[in-house]
Amino acid sequence: MFTVKHEDPFVSQQECLVIGLWDQPEKFAGKLKALDESLNGQLTDLVKSGDISAKHEVLSLIHTFGKIAVKRLLFVGLGKPKADEDMKTAIGLASKKIQDLRIYSFGIDLDSFTSSKIDVNEAALAFGEAYSLSTYAFKGYKQQSNEPEVEIENINVYAEDPSTEIESYLNVGQIYGEATNSARTLVNTPGNLLTAADLATYARNLAEEVELEVEILEKEEIEKLGMGALLAVNQGSVEPPHMIVLKYQGKQEWEDVIGLVGKGVTFDTGGYSLKPKTGIVGMKTDMGGAAAVLGAMEAIGKVRPKQNVVAVIPATDNMISGNAMKPDDVITSMNGKTIEVLNTDAEGRLVLADAMTYAKQHGANYLIDVATLTGGVIVALGLDKTGALTNHEALFEEVLVASKETREFIWRLPYTEQDKKRVRSSTIADLNNSPGREGHAIMGGAFIGEFAEGTPWVHLDIAGTATTNKAHSLGPAGATGVMVRTLALLVENHNIENN
């Protein structure tokens, strides 16, 4: 898709050329000054009249009327050069605008997106990622119109310096964006079209595509291994459960292994603790954690970092039948701990319990679980923040650094000895899966923490951030693919020396 060119973009035959415009006293300097002069200073006049703006996320589309070879100029407002504005959101809006033009190719003057804080390689990474994210669409299942689709076939990327690694950075950005889009599609897919078996098939195909090792446990194998928590959630369903394992080995020895664990509940009725009619709609998205992990593994498989990773996904739905798990049941997890079930709608922590144990059996030295776990995290943090718990400062700091770079906001919740006591408060079992509404998000994470058992661990609750009801600069309404890029970047940058 990308063609890197080290030549003057303003003499090229382009339907549209995208130009970054920084909000600084001299808007048109260097190459842009020559462009303004070739248009008889009209760009400066348009800035003065307000028809071109450099304010962050403001787009200005200008026709050149044959005065230069480029047909249209799309100026992208980037804000102040030293401000902490997100360049990717501005690029995303520009990409959507390009789509609306219904053209087959366009160019971008990548040098115009650089500043004292952003070099040309970083600009290339941002563009590759933002373009992929912002132009994603879930086509759904409506009958298609007769209007022919027009898709971008080629993007000409112009940069002066031939010694840079622009093409590599563009491709990595595109990989991260497309992996996020893969997760979005999984989450957007209805539960009747994405069962646990379908999720397992998807994982097999992904493993073949990006060269990962794969293991899929069927129900009989899950029973033999004593995964009682996963089986309890599944026992009301006609769809059998699957435990999905993907491995990527980036080092010669299988050591220093990061374990990614994703909740794969393909539809959640709440079981006998039935969700209300307004709460049950949208529960096809309850496998957002599994989608995030699969997306991260797609990116990892393509980028090939020097790191070992094991991904574990417990896949099932949570249904109601005469065989379904009931409140007051006591079940036994894979690691032998017994659990009193007081809320069958607190099922995510149950399937994750066995997945955490299985990840450790596969050699995970670090654990990060991702789950649409609790409504409580939405009450606490809103819809734009992922909640986190941890038992290990250094590992959490790595996750936090990655999340800041990807701008996937994480907020750490407290995790105390009192929280641990509450999830151990059952009088008849080792653990209680629902100690009460108070601190609901913390209780969900604290329960999962019982299965980390001293292994460095971070819990990420994406119940609020996995979907959005509004279109935004980097995508449409629906699934966001949150945490795909954070997890992939965490793996790429991992450097904790001591296990």
mmCIF file with all atom_site columns, all heavy atoms in Angstrom, residues 194-215:
data_model
loop_
_atom_site.group_PDB
_atom_site.id
_atom_site.type_symbol
_atom_site.label_atom_id
_atom_site.label_alt_id
_atom_site.label_comp_id
_atom_site.label_asym_id
_atom_site.label_entity_id
_atom_site.label_seq_id
_atom_site.pdbx_PDB_ins_code
_atom_site.Cartn_x
_atom_site.Cartn_y
_atom_site.Cartn_z
_atom_site.occupancy
_atom_site.B_iso_or_equiv
_atom_site.pdbx_formal_charge
_atom_site.auth_seq_id
_atom_site.auth_comp_id
_atom_site.auth_asym_id
_atom_site.auth_atom_id
_atom_site.pdbx_PDB_model_num
ATOM 1   N N   . LEU A 1 194 ? -20.080 -16.368 16.433 1.00 0.00 ? 194 LEU A N   1
ATOM 2   C CA  . LEU A 1 194 ? -18.758 -16.483 17.044 1.00 0.00 ? 194 LEU A CA  1
ATOM 3   C C   . LEU A 1 194 ? -18.893 -17.255 18.356 1.00 0.00 ? 194 LEU A C   1
ATOM 4   O O   . LEU A 1 194 ? -18.957 -16.679 19.441 1.00 0.00 ? 194 LEU A O   1
ATOM 5   C CB  . LEU A 1 194 ? -18.125 -15.108 17.288 1.00 0.00 ? 194 LEU A CB  1
ATOM 6   C CG  . LEU A 1 194 ? -16.665 -15.150 17.755 1.00 0.00 ? 194 LEU A CG  1
ATOM 7   C CD1 . LEU A 1 194 ? -15.743 -15.618 16.626 1.00 0.00 ? 194 LEU A CD1 1
ATOM 8   C CD2 . LEU A 1 194 ? -16.203 -13.797 18.262 1.00 0.00 ? 194 LEU A CD2 1
ATOM 9   N N   . THR A 1 195 ? -18.967 -18.558 18.258 1.00 0.00 ? 195 THR A N   1
ATOM 10  C CA  . THR A 1 195 ? -19.020 -19.427 19.428 1.00 0.00 ? 195 THR A CA  1
ATOM 11  C C   . THR A 1 195 ? -17.604 -19.697 19.920 1.00 0.00 ? 195 THR A C   1
ATOM 12  O O   . THR A 1 195 ? -16.614 -19.282 19.301 1.00 0.00 ? 195 THR A O   1
ATOM 13  C CB  . THR A 1 195 ? -19.700 -20.750 19.069 1.00 0.00 ? 195 THR A CB  1
ATOM 14  O OG1 . THR A 1 195 ? -18.887 -21.426 18.085 1.00 0.00 ? 195 THR A OG1 1
ATOM 15  C CG2 . THR A 1 195 ? -21.105 -20.514 18.497 1.00 0.00 ? 195 THR A CG2 1
ATOM 16  N N   . ALA A 1 196 ? -17.499 -20.454 21.006 1.00 0.00 ? 196 ALA A N   1
ATOM 17  C CA  . ALA A 1 196 ? -16.175 -20.841 21.504 1.00 0.00 ? 196 ALA A CA  1
ATOM 18  C C   . ALA A 1 196 ? -15.415 -21.638 20.447 1.00 0.00 ? 196 ALA A C   1
ATOM 19  O O   . ALA A 1 196 ? -14.206 -21.464 20.277 1.00 0.00 ? 196 ALA A O   1
ATOM 20  C CB  . ALA A 1 196 ? -16.330 -21.657 22.783 1.00 0.00 ? 196 ALA A CB  1
ATOM 21  N N   . ALA A 1 197 ? -16.134 -22.503 19.714 1.00 0.00 ? 197 ALA A N   1
ATOM 22  C CA  . ALA A 1 197 ? -15.484 -23.279 18.652 1.00 0.00 ? 197 ALA A CA  1
ATOM 23  C C   . ALA A 1 197 ? -15.000 -22.363 17.533 1.00 0.00 ? 197 ALA A C   1
ATOM 24  O O   . ALA A 1 197 ? -13.914 -22.578 16.973 1.00 0.00 ? 197 ALA A O   1
ATOM 25  C CB  . ALA A 1 197 ? -16.461 -24.318 18.104 1.00 0.00 ? 197 ALA A CB  1
ATOM 26  N N   . ASP A 1 198 ? -15.784 -21.339 17.201 1.00 0.00 ? 198 ASP A N   1
ATOM 27  C CA  . ASP A 1 198 ? -15.369 -20.383 16.170 1.00 0.00 ? 198 ASP A CA  1
ATOM 28  C C   . ASP A 1 198 ? -14.129 -19.621 16.607 1.00 0.00 ? 198 ASP A C   1
ATOM 29  O O   . ASP A 1 198 ? -13.228 -19.354 15.802 1.00 0.00 ? 198 ASP A O   1
ATOM 30  C CB  . ASP A 1 198 ? -16.505 -19.399 15.871 1.00 0.00 ? 198 ASP A CB  1
ATOM 31  C CG  . ASP A 1 198 ? -17.703 -20.067 15.234 1.00 0.00 ? 198 ASP A CG  1
ATOM 32  O OD1 . ASP A 1 198 ? -17.512 -20.999 14.432 1.00 0.00 ? 198 ASP A OD1 1
ATOM 33  O OD2 . ASP A 1 198 ? -18.839 -19.658 15.555 1.00 0.00 ? 198 ASP A OD2 1
ATOM 34  N N   . LEU A 1 199 ? -14.085 -19.257 17.880 1.00 0.00 ? 199 LEU A N   1
ATOM 35  C CA  . LEU A 1 199 ? -12.928 -18.533 18.403 1.00 0.00 ? 199 LEU A CA  1
ATOM 36  C C   . LEU A 1 199 ? -11.676 -19.422 18.328 1.00 0.00 ? 199 LEU A C   1
ATOM 37  O O   . LEU A 1 199 ? -10.581 -18.953 17.998 1.00 0.00 ? 199 LEU A O   1
ATOM 38  C CB  . LEU A 1 199 ? -13.203 -18.107 19.846 1.00 0.00 ? 199 LEU A CB  1
ATOM 39  C CG  . LEU A 1 199 ? -12.482 -16.867 20.385 1.00 0.00 ? 199 LEU A CG  1
ATOM 40  C CD1 . LEU A 1 199 ? -12.755 -15.644 19.521 1.00 0.00 ? 199 LEU A CD1 1
ATOM 41  C CD2 . LEU A 1 199 ? -12.917 -16.604 21.820 1.00 0.00 ? 199 LEU A CD2 1
ATOM 42  N N   . ALA A 1 200 ? -11.856 -20.713 18.609 1.00 0.00 ? 200 ALA A N   1
ATOM 43  C CA  . ALA A 1 200 ? -10.742 -21.649 18.523 1.00 0.00 ? 200 ALA A CA  1
ATOM 44  C C   . ALA A 1 200 ? -10.263 -21.789 17.073 1.00 0.00 ? 200 ALA A C   1
ATOM 45  O O   . ALA A 1 200 ? -9.052  -21.828 16.804 1.00 0.00 ? 200 ALA A O   1
ATOM 46  C CB  . ALA A 1 200 ? -11.154 -23.010 19.079 1.00 0.00 ? 200 ALA A CB  1
ATOM 47  N N   . THR A 1 201 ? -11.196 -21.848 16.132 1.00 0.00 ? 201 THR A N   1
ATOM 48  C CA  . THR A 1 201 ? -10.831 -21.932 14.717 1.00 0.00 ? 201 THR A CA  1
ATOM 49  C C   . THR A 1 201 ? -10.081 -20.675 14.279 1.00 0.00 ? 201 THR A C   1
ATOM 50  O O   . THR A 1 201 ? -9.093  -20.746 13.537 1.00 0.00 ? 201 THR A O   1
ATOM 51  C CB  . THR A 1 201 ? -12.092 -22.122 13.855 1.00 0.00 ? 201 THR A CB  1
ATOM 52  O OG1 . THR A 1 201 ? -12.726 -23.349 14.225 1.00 0.00 ? 201 THR A OG1 1
ATOM 53  C CG2 . THR A 1 201 ? -11.756 -22.155 12.374 1.00 0.00 ? 201 THR A CG2 1
ATOM 54  N N   . TYR A 1 202 ? -10.552 -19.537 14.752 1.00 0.00 ? 202 TYR A N   1
ATOM 55  C CA  . TYR A 1 202 ? -9.867  -18.281 14.438 1.00 0.00 ? 202 TYR A CA  1
ATOM 56  C C   . TYR A 1 202 ? -8.425  -18.331 14.936 1.00 0.00 ? 202 TYR A C   1
ATOM 57  O O   . TYR A 1 202 ? -7.493  -17.923 14.226 1.00 0.00 ? 202 TYR A O   1
ATOM 58  C CB  . TYR A 1 202 ? -10.607 -17.115 15.080 1.00 0.00 ? 202 TYR A CB  1
ATOM 59  C CG  . TYR A 1 202 ? -9.987  -15.762 14.805 1.00 0.00 ? 202 TYR A CG  1
ATOM 60  C CD1 . TYR A 1 202 ? -10.419 -14.983 13.747 1.00 0.00 ? 202 TYR A CD1 1
ATOM 61  C CD2 . TYR A 1 202 ? -8.952  -15.272 15.604 1.00 0.00 ? 202 TYR A CD2 1
ATOM 62  C CE1 . TYR A 1 202 ? -9.833  -13.750 13.478 1.00 0.00 ? 202 TYR A CE1 1
ATOM 63  C CE2 . TYR A 1 202 ? -8.362  -14.047 15.347 1.00 0.00 ? 202 TYR A CE2 1
ATOM 64  C CZ  . TYR A 1 202 ? -8.809  -13.292 14.286 1.00 0.00 ? 202 TYR A CZ  1
ATOM 65  O OH  . TYR A 1 202 ? -8.227  -12.074 14.023 1.00 0.00 ? 202 TYR A OH  1
ATOM 66  N N   . ALA A 1 203 ? -8.227  -18.832 16.154 1.00 0.00 ? 203 ALA A N   1
ATOM 67  C CA  . ALA A 1 203 ? -6.880  -18.902 16.728 1.00 0.00 ? 203 ALA A CA  1
ATOM 68  C C   . ALA A 1 203 ? -5.993  -19.847 15.922 1.00 0.00 ? 203 ALA A C   1
ATOM 69  O O   . ALA A 1 203 ? -4.810  -19.560 15.697 1.00 0.00 ? 203 ALA A O   1
ATOM 70  C CB  . ALA A 1 203 ? -6.961  -19.351 18.180 1.00 0.00 ? 203 ALA A CB  1
ATOM 71  N N   . ARG A 1 204 ? -6.550  -20.969 15.488 1.00 0.00 ? 204 ARG A N   1
ATOM 72  C CA  . ARG A 1 204 ? -5.775  -21.909 14.657 1.00 0.00 ? 204 ARG A CA  1
ATOM 73  C C   . ARG A 1 204 ? -5.323  -21.240 13.364 1.00 0.00 ? 204 ARG A C   1
ATOM 74  O O   . ARG A 1 204 ? -4.169  -21.373 12.948 1.00 0.00 ? 204 ARG A O   1
ATOM 75  C CB  . ARG A 1 204 ? -6.623  -23.138 14.326 1.00 0.00 ? 204 ARG A CB  1
ATOM 76  C CG  . ARG A 1 204 ? -6.747  -24.162 15.427 1.00 0.00 ? 204 ARG A CG  1
ATOM 77  C CD  . ARG A 1 204 ? -7.300  -25.467 14.905 1.00 0.00 ? 204 ARG A CD  1
ATOM 78  N NE  . ARG A 1 204 ? -7.652  -26.384 15.989 1.00 0.00 ? 204 ARG A NE  1
ATOM 79  C CZ  . ARG A 1 204 ? -8.859  -26.496 16.513 1.00 0.00 ? 204 ARG A CZ  1
ATOM 80  N NH1 . ARG A 1 204 ? -9.850  -25.758 16.053 1.00 0.00 ? 204 ARG A NH1 1
ATOM 81  N NH2 . ARG A 1 204 ? -9.078  -27.355 17.493 1.00 0.00 ? 204 ARG A NH2 1
ATOM 82  N N   . ASN A 1 205 ? -6.247  -20.548 12.718 1.00 0.00 ? 205 ASN A N   1
ATOM 83  C CA  . ASN A 1 205 ? -5.921  -19.877 11.456 1.00 0.00 ? 205 ASN A CA  1
ATOM 84  C C   . ASN A 1 205 ? -4.885  -18.781 11.662 1.00 0.00 ? 205 ASN A C   1
ATOM 85  O O   . ASN A 1 205 ? -3.979  -18.594 10.841 1.00 0.00 ? 205 ASN A O   1
ATOM 86  C CB  . ASN A 1 205 ? -7.186  -19.299 10.824 1.00 0.00 ? 205 ASN A CB  1
ATOM 87  C CG  . ASN A 1 205 ? -8.149  -20.382 10.374 1.00 0.00 ? 205 ASN A CG  1
ATOM 88  O OD1 . ASN A 1 205 ? -7.762  -21.534 10.149 1.00 0.00 ? 205 ASN A OD1 1
ATOM 89  N ND2 . ASN A 1 205 ? -9.422  -20.040 10.251 1.00 0.00 ? 205 ASN A ND2 1
ATOM 90  N N   . LEU A 1 206 ? -5.021  -18.043 12.764 1.00 0.00 ? 206 LEU A N   1
ATOM 91  C CA  . LEU A 1 206 ? -4.050  -16.992 13.073 1.00 0.00 ? 206 LEU A CA  1
ATOM 92  C C   . LEU A 1 206 ? -2.673  -17.590 13.298 1.00 0.00 ? 206 LEU A C   1
ATOM 93  O O   . LEU A 1 206 ? -1.659  -17.059 12.810 1.00 0.00 ? 206 LEU A O   1
ATOM 94  C CB  . LEU A 1 206 ? -4.498  -16.213 14.315 1.00 0.00 ? 206 LEU A CB  1
ATOM 95  C CG  . LEU A 1 206 ? -3.538  -15.141 14.819 1.00 0.00 ? 206 LEU A CG  1
ATOM 96  C CD1 . LEU A 1 206 ? -3.366  -14.033 13.781 1.00 0.00 ? 206 LEU A CD1 1
ATOM 97  C CD2 . LEU A 1 206 ? -4.014  -14.562 16.149 1.00 0.00 ? 206 LEU A CD2 1
ATOM 98  N N   . ALA A 1 207 ? -2.618  -18.699 14.024 1.00 0.00 ? 207 ALA A N   1
ATOM 99  C CA  . ALA A 1 207 ? -1.336  -19.345 14.307 1.00 0.00 ? 207 ALA A CA  1
ATOM 100 C C   . ALA A 1 207 ? -0.637  -19.757 13.011 1.00 0.00 ? 207 ALA A C   1
ATOM 101 O O   . ALA A 1 207 ? 0.580   -19.604 12.871 1.00 0.00 ? 207 ALA A O   1
ATOM 102 C CB  . ALA A 1 207 ? -1.560  -20.561 15.203 1.00 0.00 ? 207 ALA A CB  1
ATOM 103 N N   . GLU A 1 208 ? -1.420  -20.256 12.073 1.00 0.00 ? 208 GLU A N   1
ATOM 104 C CA  . GLU A 1 208 ? -0.839  -20.651 10.792 1.00 0.00 ? 208 GLU A CA  1
ATOM 105 C C   . GLU A 1 208 ? -0.367  -19.435 10.002 1.00 0.00 ? 208 GLU A C   1
ATOM 106 O O   . GLU A 1 208 ? 0.700   -19.455 9.382  1.00 0.00 ? 208 GLU A O   1
ATOM 107 C CB  . GLU A 1 208 ? -1.880  -21.424 9.975  1.00 0.00 ? 208 GLU A CB  1
ATOM 108 C CG  . GLU A 1 208 ? -1.357  -21.950 8.652  1.00 0.00 ? 208 GLU A CG  1
ATOM 109 C CD  . GLU A 1 208 ? -2.379  -22.786 7.906  1.00 0.00 ? 208 GLU A CD  1
ATOM 110 O OE1 . GLU A 1 208 ? -3.449  -23.077 8.463  1.00 0.00 ? 208 GLU A OE1 1
ATOM 111 O OE2 . GLU A 1 208 ? -2.098  -23.147 6.743  1.00 0.00 ? 208 GLU A OE2 1
ATOM 112 N N   . GLU A 1 209 ? -1.147  -18.353 10.070 1.00 0.00 ? 209 GLU A N   1
ATOM 113 C CA  . GLU A 1 209 ? -0.826  -17.155 9.296  1.00 0.00 ? 209 GLU A CA  1
ATOM 114 C C   . GLU A 1 209 ? 0.449   -16.480 9.770  1.00 0.00 ? 209 GLU A C   1
ATOM 115 O O   . GLU A 1 209 ? 1.276   -16.048 8.955  1.00 0.00 ? 209 GLU A O   1
ATOM 116 C CB  . GLU A 1 209 ? -1.995  -16.160 9.375  1.00 0.00 ? 209 GLU A CB  1
ATOM 117 C CG  . GLU A 1 209 ? -1.750  -14.858 8.653  1.00 0.00 ? 209 GLU A CG  1
ATOM 118 C CD  . GLU A 1 209 ? -2.794  -13.794 8.955  1.00 0.00 ? 209 GLU A CD  1
ATOM 119 O OE1 . GLU A 1 209 ? -3.814  -14.128 9.591  1.00 0.00 ? 209 GLU A OE1 1
ATOM 120 O OE2 . GLU A 1 209 ? -2.586  -12.632 8.578  1.00 0.00 ? 209 GLU A OE2 1
ATOM 121 N N   . VAL A 1 210 ? 0.629   -16.364 11.091 1.00 0.00 ? 210 VAL A N   1
ATOM 122 C CA  . VAL A 1 210 ? 1.770   -15.593 11.613 1.00 0.00 ? 210 VAL A CA  1
ATOM 123 C C   . VAL A 1 210 ? 2.792   -16.468 12.336 1.00 0.00 ? 210 VAL A C   1
ATOM 124 O O   . VAL A 1 210 ? 3.630   -15.960 13.075 1.00 0.00 ? 210 VAL A O   1
ATOM 125 C CB  . VAL A 1 210 ? 1.285   -14.437 12.527 1.00 0.00 ? 210 VAL A CB  1
ATOM 126 C CG1 . VAL A 1 210 ? 0.395   -13.489 11.763 1.00 0.00 ? 210 VAL A CG1 1
ATOM 127 C CG2 . VAL A 1 210 ? 0.568   -14.966 13.772 1.00 0.00 ? 210 VAL A CG2 1
ATOM 128 N N   . GLU A 1 211 ? 2.703   -17.774 12.121 1.00 0.00 ? 211 GLU A N   1
ATOM 129 C CA  . GLU A 1 211 ? 3.705   -18.720 12.625 1.00 0.00 ? 211 GLU A CA  1
ATOM 130 C C   . GLU A 1 211 ? 3.799   -18.724 14.150 1.00 0.00 ? 211 GLU A C   1
ATOM 131 O O   . GLU A 1 211 ? 4.829   -18.383 14.741 1.00 0.00 ? 211 GLU A O   1
ATOM 132 C CB  . GLU A 1 211 ? 5.078   -18.434 11.997 1.00 0.00 ? 211 GLU A CB  1
ATOM 133 C CG  . GLU A 1 211 ? 5.078   -18.562 10.485 1.00 0.00 ? 211 GLU A CG  1
ATOM 134 C CD  . GLU A 1 211 ? 6.448   -18.270 9.878  1.00 0.00 ? 211 GLU A CD  1
ATOM 135 O OE1 . GLU A 1 211 ? 7.447   -18.307 10.618 1.00 0.00 ? 211 GLU A OE1 1
ATOM 136 O OE2 . GLU A 1 211 ? 6.507   -18.000 8.673  1.00 0.00 ? 211 GLU A OE2 1
ATOM 137 N N   . LEU A 1 212 ? 2.700   -19.124 14.775 1.00 0.00 ? 212 LEU A N   1
ATOM 138 C CA  . LEU A 1 212 ? 2.645   -19.314 16.216 1.00 0.00 ? 212 LEU A CA  1
ATOM 139 C C   . LEU A 1 212 ? 2.401   -20.793 16.504 1.00 0.00 ? 212 LEU A C   1
ATOM 140 O O   . LEU A 1 212 ? 1.800   -21.498 15.692 1.00 0.00 ? 212 LEU A O   1
ATOM 141 C CB  . LEU A 1 212 ? 1.515   -18.488 16.835 1.00 0.00 ? 212 LEU A CB  1
ATOM 142 C CG  . LEU A 1 212 ? 1.497   -16.984 16.574 1.00 0.00 ? 212 LEU A CG  1
ATOM 143 C CD1 . LEU A 1 212 ? 0.210   -16.379 17.098 1.00 0.00 ? 212 LEU A CD1 1
ATOM 144 C CD2 . LEU A 1 212 ? 2.709   -16.308 17.203 1.00 0.00 ? 212 LEU A CD2 1
ATOM 145 N N   . GLU A 1 213 ? 2.818   -21.228 17.669 1.00 0.00 ? 213 GLU A N   1
ATOM 146 C CA  . GLU A 1 213 ? 2.470   -22.573 18.125 1.00 0.00 ? 213 GLU A CA  1
ATOM 147 C C   . GLU A 1 213 ? 1.061   -22.517 18.728 1.00 0.00 ? 213 GLU A C   1
ATOM 148 O O   . GLU A 1 213 ? 0.721   -21.563 19.429 1.00 0.00 ? 213 GLU A O   1
ATOM 149 C CB  . GLU A 1 213 ? 3.481   -23.046 19.168 1.00 0.00 ? 213 GLU A CB  1
ATOM 150 C CG  . GLU A 1 213 ? 3.252   -24.458 19.669 1.00 0.00 ? 213 GLU A CG  1
ATOM 151 C CD  . GLU A 1 213 ? 4.255   -24.869 20.729 1.00 0.00 ? 213 GLU A CD  1
ATOM 152 O OE1 . GLU A 1 213 ? 5.357   -24.298 20.759 1.00 0.00 ? 213 GLU A OE1 1
ATOM 153 O OE2 . GLU A 1 213 ? 3.915   -25.755 21.541 1.00 0.00 ? 213 GLU A OE2 1
ATOM 154 N N   . VAL A 1 214 ? 0.240   -23.520 18.465 1.00 0.00 ? 214 VAL A N   1
ATOM 155 C CA  . VAL A 1 214 ? -1.139  -23.480 18.930 1.00 0.00 ? 214 VAL A CA  1
ATOM 156 C C   . VAL A 1 214 ? -1.512  -24.781 19.621 1.00 0.00 ? 214 VAL A C   1
ATOM 157 O O   . VAL A 1 214 ? -1.080  -25.865 19.225 1.00 0.00 ? 214 VAL A O   1
ATOM 158 C CB  . VAL A 1 214 ? -2.118  -23.194 17.762 1.00 0.00 ? 214 VAL A CB  1
ATOM 159 C CG1 . VAL A 1 214 ? -2.043  -24.282 16.702 1.00 0.00 ? 214 VAL A CG1 1
ATOM 160 C CG2 . VAL A 1 214 ? -3.553  -23.015 18.265 1.00 0.00 ? 214 VAL A CG2 1
ATOM 161 N N   . GLU A 1 215 ? -2.299  -24.665 20.686 1.00 0.00 ? 215 GLU A N   1
ATOM 162 C CA  . GLU A 1 215 ? -2.887  -25.805 21.380 1.00 0.00 ? 215 GLU A CA  1
ATOM 163 C C   . GLU A 1 215 ? -4.333  -25.449 21.694 1.00 0.00 ? 215 GLU A C   1
ATOM 164 O O   . GLU A 1 215 ? -4.603  -24.389 22.264 1.00 0.00 ? 215 GLU A O   1
ATOM 165 C CB  . GLU A 1 215 ? -2.127  -26.112 22.678 1.00 0.00 ? 215 GLU A CB  1
ATOM 166 C CG  . GLU A 1 215 ? -2.765  -27.219 23.504 1.00 0.00 ? 215 GLU A CG  1
ATOM 167 C CD  . GLU A 1 215 ? -2.163  -27.350 24.897 1.00 0.00 ? 215 GLU A CD  1
ATOM 168 O OE1 . GLU A 1 215 ? -2.011  -26.298 25.564 1.00 0.00 ? 215 GLU A OE1 1
ATOM 169 O OE2 . GLU A 1 215 ? -1.867  -28.466 25.309 1.00 0.00 ? 215 GLU A OE2 1
#
